[in-house]
Amino acid sequence: MLANYLVGLREGLEASLVVVILVAHLVRTNRRELLTSIWLGVGVAVAISLAFGALLTFGPRGLTFEAQEIIGGCLSILAVGFVTWMVLWMATAARGLSGELKGHVDAAALAGRGSLVVVAMLAVGREGLETALFLWAATRAATGGSQSAVIPLVGALLGLLTAVAIGWLVYRGALRLNLARFFSWTGGFLILVAAGVLSYGVHDLQEAGVLPGLNTLAFDVSNVIDPSTLLATVLKGVFNFSPATTVAEAFAWVAYVIVVLPLFVRRLRAGTTAPSSSTASTPSGVSS
């Protein structure tokens, strides 16, 4: 629940801030009559994201165990790829996000209302599809592929609702948010969560027989950490830690963190030293 709450919070806040920037820009430039197009695009993006999540959840049912594991493993790895790209991109792009979005809105406003709908749909839809895929993969990893996913999904929903509330407070000027700092801390956490999802994806492919080594363990500390205890549940839910971990799972986890975490830190440092051209025109509750 904790891991999915934080994932939902971060991903949802990205989408919420996108909407805040779009709406605030139209309001400040006295183009309120175009807000309907923005909200229509947002509604379409949310509907598509929910439909995608439902397809991921119910689509593989009825297939053989091996087919489900192959699909689950491949989609988990794909989710890690998307999230990794997003985390690394936001490490340097958070400072210029506002100016980039406003430029798209201005160009679309000149082209007509339909173009504004498309801009809002693409801006929010990208975040929504990434969120749906990664939450599905993280939930599946946390629950071991079982159907008992209520608690992780509740955590994700609470995170999304918190993100919407923060977005509204930022828009009203009641809350000031430092984007660079927020995405720095949550990005580092997401890298650890993504490493666990990657590890679980590898385990799925091992169970399907695509990858070897299902019974070759790197370590087994089940006698020290009981899988039924609270500690084991928290470690499993947040970092997908398994007391009995195969060599391939351990290698995937360690290799991912060793490669991605230093790259993320390097991107953060580059983003810190790079000048920002949009600071003065961001919504009042957002700072870079």
Side-chain angles (χ1 to χ4, degrees):
M1 184 172 185
L2 174 61
N4 275 21
Y5 174 81
L6 293 174
V7 171
L9 174 62
R10 173 182 170 119
E11 300 295 300
L13 191 54
E14 280 192 40
S16 296
L17 292 177
V18 166
V19 175
V20 166
I21 292 170
L22 296 178
V23 171
H25 184 54
L26 290 179
V27 170
R28 288 182 175 181
T29 53
N30 295 318
R31 291 180 286 183
R32 292 177 179 268
E33 70 279 2
L34 299 178
L35 289 177
T36 303
S37 299
I38 295 294
W39 290 118
L40 179 58
V42 171
V44 172
V46 170
I48 292 175
S49 301
L50 290 175
F52 181 56
L55 178 64
L56 291 173
T57 301
F58 302 108
R61 293 185 181 181
L63 299 177
T64 63
F65 173 78
E66 288 77 12
Q68 290 188 38
E69 294 303 294
I70 291 174
I71 292 174
C74 291
L75 287 179
S76 294
I77 295 173
L78 180 63
V80 170
F82 277 129
V83 168
T84 303
W85 172 84
M86 178 270 298
V87 167
L88 295 179
W89 178 74
M90 285 302 295
T92 54
R95 293 171 176 270
L97 181 62
S98 178
E100 181 181 346
L101 286 172
K102 290 172 185 176
H104 290 320
V105 169
D106 290 336
L110 293 175
R113 289 179 176 269
S115 298
L116 269 179
V117 173
V118 173
V119 166
M121 182 182 68
L122 293 178
V124 178
R126 183 188 65 181
E127 306 294 344
L129 292 176
E130 288 180 356
T131 301
L133 179 58
F134 192 64
L135 283 176
W136 174 84
T139 298
R140 196 171 186 274
T143 59
S146 68
Q147 304 302 320
S148 57
V150 175
I151 292 180
L153 289 179
V154 168
L157 178 60
L158 291 175
L160 291 172
L161 292 176
T162 303
V164 171
I166 291 176
W168 183 81
L169 291 173
V170 168
Y171 176 75
R172 300 300 298 177
L175 179 66
R176 189 166 187 83
L177 184 66
N178 187 306
L179 288 183
R181 183 173 301 173
F182 173 82
F183 287 123
S184 298
W185 284 101
T186 57
F189 173 80
L190 268 189
I191 288 173
L192 297 180
V193 174
V197 173
L198 176 62
S199 174
Y200 188 79
V202 169
H203 181 77
D204 274 351
L205 294 179
Q206 286 183 306
E207 288 195 322
V210 175
L211 294 178
L214 179 60
N215 297 314
T216 305
L217 298 181
F219 57 84
D220 185 354
V221 292
S222 301
N223 59 330
V224 179
I225 303 177
D226 187 346
S228 62
T229 61
L230 176 61
L231 175 61
T233 302
V234 171
L235 291 176
K236 175 69 175 177
V238 178
F239 303 114
N240 191 41
F241 172 79
S242 175
T245 299
T246 68
V247 171
E249 288 179 83
F251 177 80
W253 198 98
V254 173
Y256 177 84
V257 172
I258 287 178
V259 172
V260 177
L261 194 56
L263 185 58
F264 175 68
V265 174
R266 194 176 305 121
R267 289 287 188 94
L268 283 179
R269 290 175 177 173
T272 301
T273 57
S276 173
S277 61
S278 61
T279 302
S281 57
T282 53
S284 59
V286 179
S287 65
S288 57

